[in-house]
Amino acid sequence: MSSKSLNSKSQVVTQGNRRAPNRAMLRAVGFSDDDFQKPIVGVANGQSDITPCNAGLGKLADIAADKIRKEGGMPQTFGTITISDGISMGTEGMKCSLVSRDVIADSIETVCRGASMDAVIAIGGCDKNMPGAMIAIARLNIPALFVYGGTIKPGHLDGKDLTVVSVFEAVGQFGAGTIDENQLTEIEKHACPGFGSCGGMYTANTMSSAFEAMGMSLPYSSTMANEDKEKELNTGLCAEALMQMIKQNILPRDIMTRKAFENAIAVIMAIGGSTNAVLHLLAIAYSAEVNLTIDDFESIRKKIPLFCDLKPSGEYVAVDLHHAGGIPQVMKMMLNAGMIHGDCLTITGKTVAENLKDIPDSPSASQNVILPIDKPKSTEGHLVVLKGNLCQEGAVAKVSGVKTRNISGPAKCFNSEEECLDAILDNRIKAGDVVVIRFEGPKGGPGMREMLAPTAAIVGKGLGDQVALITDGRFSGGTYGIVIGHIAPEAQTGGNLALLKDGDTINIDIEHNRLDVKLTDEELDSRRKEFKPKENPYKNGVLAKYAKLVSSASKGAVTD
């Protein structure tokens, strides 16, 4: 396959036109004469025992490869990496999390181009596997789809469901003296009972849901549990769907249109998804050459109610959503209400409306996860885009479950996550404070770490409704409270966040989409004369390269 054909709508070219030396190498890995006439299908997967999110992917890759072979394709399996956000959270290692998204994208693209693959099925579990794979798929534009490794089942303790976020909050509760060390240890032991990605509507389940809504994954696949048999059966169906895409020459950019991205954003708003979806969908759209901006999230948000009651701000986890009807049920209700586009093509070869044809108009009355669309948790979506003199390019606030929408308070400034967490645990943060964590953006971190440890500690201290936190870093999908992230321009590039001092009055007006510091332009200009960017301690290697290449969070923190 030529380089050009990887990015054009052309007839699939098999490996049959390879020269003898190329074929000799492939014979050594099992190719026979007939196999050279078959489409070569990459099976990219992030199998590893680094994290429970990815520990169950190997068996799914085997299932996909076997089904591709039976359906007349020639599978070639290869691996990619993962970084566990949950394990690296609160450490230097978290700097590598967002970086891994682009490493994953580059690795899948590199292998598929280098091996002249005709198609690819990508199998991932942890947060960055999904957008990384989809960025590569958008770049390559060969028949492709995504298989989600599946969510973890909830842990249980004392009659309550637990997730990994329960542990982070327990650390704050322990620091506040509301639980003892034994209780903390028991929560730790019971929170993650097996394989699968974090169980609430956190980043992994948000992105899997977005891809299903976009039409790049099969219906129902985004909310299945990793350890359930249906996930294995679904993987086989995904492989069959990919082989049909090859026969029909359906390419990712036929599916990943502007309307498809609008559908994904709308569904994310309806289910209470992660702020990281803003960052990742912008990056994927960039790779697909779709014109999508941060302001589009705000315009769509205003039209979409939040009508699913899911953690972190709600009651239920992803497997509960699955049993209540999953994303197809949510989308059918939205389609009937005119909130999504029904004419978008999907990997099934059918449109969204055709896929949803037999889905009930309403979910079972016996469930409480999916609420009536006219009686939602909120009449508007929960991911609010803010502008102001602290974020001229934009910032993102997640307001589901937040009671206070307008806050004005003194800044407490910290130049790293570690400094801030120490202050919280040392009781130096008081009700009414606006905590500022800066130099944690894409360039400044480098790597744009998630701030789950500080936000969870604030909640654990009982200050979740009384303290705001703003940052040029990111938030975990498990974060909730008065939190604003993705502030751009970031501190490292001279954004006004870098100029703040303790005691400056910060005004947060979510109702009017504003984030401002009460300082004159003259005062800000005066302070800017003293500004110096933070020195990057990484002089070579991946974090040094990332800091040089990465764009603003307002553009998806892309590196190409």
Side-chain angles (χ1 to χ4, degrees):
M1 179 178 287
S2 68
S3 175
K4 183 179 179 181
S5 68
L6 285 169
N7 289 287
S8 62
K9 192 174 178 71
S10 60
Q11 192 65 31
V12 168
V13 180
T14 69
Q15 306 281 2
N17 60 2
R18 286 182 179 272
R19 296 180 180 179
N22 309 126
R23 296 198 300 269
M25 296 287 287
L26 292 171
R27 289 184 191 280
V29 294
F31 277 65
S32 64
D33 289 346
D34 291 343
D35 293 332
F36 291 108
Q37 305 306 318
K38 299 174 182 177
I40 308 302
V41 181
V43 181
N45 78 96
Q47 164 66 33
S48 76
D49 58 6
I50 290 174
T51 169
C53 314
N54 288 56
L57 301 185
K59 65 178 180 180
L60 301 183
D62 291 341
I63 290 168
D66 183 61
K67 181 63 70 171
I68 288 165
R69 189 175 286 106
K70 289 177 178 176
E71 293 291 318
M74 193 59 187
Q76 287 188 299
T77 61
F78 63 95
T80 186
I81 67 158
T82 197
I83 301 294
S84 169
D85 289 21
I87 294 172
S88 64
M89 194 76 67
T91 73
E92 183 185 19
M94 175 49 92
K95 294 177 184 289
C96 294
S97 170
L98 186 59
V99 176
S100 74
R101 181 193 75 180
D102 292 72
V103 174
I104 292 164
D106 291 349
S107 68
I108 294 174
E109 180 191 6
T110 301
V111 173
C112 289
R113 287 192 188 278
S116 299
M117 290 182 175
D118 299 307
V120 63
I121 184 169
I123 305 172
C126 209
D127 293 8
K128 307 310 174 296
N129 299 172
M130 283 164 275
M134 201 59 68
I135 288 169
I137 286 169
R139 291 175 185 169
L140 291 164
N141 202 34
I142 56 178
L145 53 78
F146 184 80
V147 177
Y148 181 38
T151 185
I152 197 172
K153 294 181 178 180
H156 302 284
L157 183 65
D158 299 330
K160 295 182 179 179
D161 284 352
L162 298 178
T163 69
V164 68
V165 176
S166 306
V167 186
F168 285 93
E169 292 175 2
V171 171
Q173 293 167 340
F174 175 70
T178 56
I179 63 173
D180 60 26
E181 186 172 358
N182 181 64
Q183 290 172 298
L184 173 60
T185 301
E186 287 302 304
I187 293 171
E188 174 195 324
K189 288 180 177 180
H190 289 84
C192 299
F195 290 169
S197 299
C198 298
M201 193 46 66
Y202 311 145
T203 303
N205 287 323
T206 297
M207 296 313 300
S208 66
S209 299
F211 293 170
E212 182 178 327
M214 192 185 294
M216 287 300 297
S217 295
L218 284 184
Y220 294 106
S221 64
S222 66
T223 50
M224 292 176 178
N226 172 273
E227 296 183 324
D228 284 351
K229 185 68 175 179
E230 68 174 342
K231 175 48 66 178
E232 297 180 18
L233 297 173
N234 177 262
T235 301
L237 295 175
C238 289
E240 290 179 7
L242 180 61
M243 296 307 295
Q244 288 300 313
M245 290 178 72
I246 295 172
K247 291 176 183 177
Q248 298 175 40
N249 203 28
I250 297 174
L251 304 182
R253 294 193 190 184
D254 300 331
I255 297 169
M256 297 164 68
T257 62
R258 165 74 189 210
K259 284 184 176 181
F261 279 95
E262 290 177 356
N263 282 352
I265 295 169
V267 168
I268 287 166
M269 296 297 177
I271 63 179
S274 165
T275 53
N276 284 311
V278 179
L279 198 70
H280 298 325
L281 288 177
L282 287 172
I284 297 164
Y286 177 85
S287 293
E289 299 183 19
V290 170
N291 183 23
L292 189 74
T293 72
I294 193 170
D295 295 323
D296 292 321
F297 287 80
E298 180 61 24
S299 60
I300 294 171
R301 177 191 75 83
K302 292 179 179 178
K303 306 172 186 176
I304 307 297
L306 168 59
F307 63 97
C308 293
D309 189 16
L310 295 162
K311 290 181 182 293
S313 58
E315 188 70 24
Y316 299 98
V317 294
V319 290
D320 297 319
L321 174 60
H322 188 64
H323 296 146
I327 296 301
Q329 182 65 75
V330 173
M331 292 183 70
K332 181 61 175 285
M333 296 164 69
M334 297 177 76
L335 181 67
N336 289 345
M339 295 176 181
I340 60 173
H341 306 287
D343 58 346
C344 294
L345 181 66
T346 72
I347 61 170
T348 66
K350 300 178 181 178
T351 65
V352 167
E354 288 170 338
N355 285 343
L356 299 175
K357 181 175 178 292
D358 296 325
I359 304 298
D361 291 334
S362 301
S364 168
S366 64
Q367 60 81 45
N368 297 308
V369 186
I370 306 173
L371 307 177
I373 203 165
D374 58 349
K375 296 179 181 178
K377 288 171 66 70
S378 173
T379 57
E380 294 183 338
H382 63 298
L383 300 181
V384 181
V385 174
L386 307 178
K387 295 288 181 73
N389 69 357
L390 278 179
C391 54
Q392 296 94 324
E393 293 179 15
V396 181
K398 184 177 181 180
V399 301
S400 50
V402 173
K403 300 174 184 176
T404 306
R405 301 295 179 97
N406 299 296
I407 305 154
S408 183
K412 290 284 186 71
C413 301
F414 303 95
N415 291 339
S416 73
E417 178 188 5
E418 288 84 356
E419 290 179 14
C420 176
L421 185 59
D422 287 344
I424 296 168
L425 296 178
D426 198 34
N427 296 316
R428 286 183 274 138
I429 302 301
K430 307 298 181 185
D433 287 343
V434 178
V435 175
V436 177
I437 306 179
R438 58 194 175 189
F439 296 104
E440 290 284 8
K443 286 184 178 293
M448 204 179 182
R449 287 192 289 182
E450 292 182 346
M451 303 291 119
L452 178 57
T455 56
I458 287 171
V459 170
K461 289 278 189 178
L463 296 171
D465 293 323
Q466 302 170 67
V467 169
L469 190 152
I470 69 173
T471 180
D472 51 8
R474 297 182 295 128
F475 292 115
S476 162
T479 295
Y480 62 98
I482 311 167
V483 296
I484 299 169
H486 304 204
I487 290 176
E490 62 174 290
Q492 183 70 7
T493 61
N496 288 341
L497 195 71
L499 311 180
L500 296 179
K501 297 179 180 179
D502 285 350
D504 288 342
T505 300
I506 295 176
N507 295 319
I508 301 170
D509 185 352
I510 291 172
E511 298 294 343
H512 296 92
N513 302 87
R514 298 292 303 182
L515 173 62
D516 298 278
V517 59
K518 197 173 181 181
L519 294 173
T520 63
D521 291 342
E522 290 76 15
E523 174 63 20
L524 289 169
D525 289 341
S526 175
R527 293 187 186 185
R528 186 167 286 105
K529 295 175 183 177
E530 306 297 321
F531 166 74
K532 291 182 180 180
K534 185 178 179 181
E535 183 179 359
N536 185 357
Y538 306 96
K539 304 305 180 185
N540 53 34
V542 68
L543 289 173
K545 287 189 288 187
Y546 188 82
K548 291 176 182 177
L549 294 172
V550 69
S551 74
S552 169
S554 65
K555 297 181 178 180
V558 297
T559 55
D560 61 340

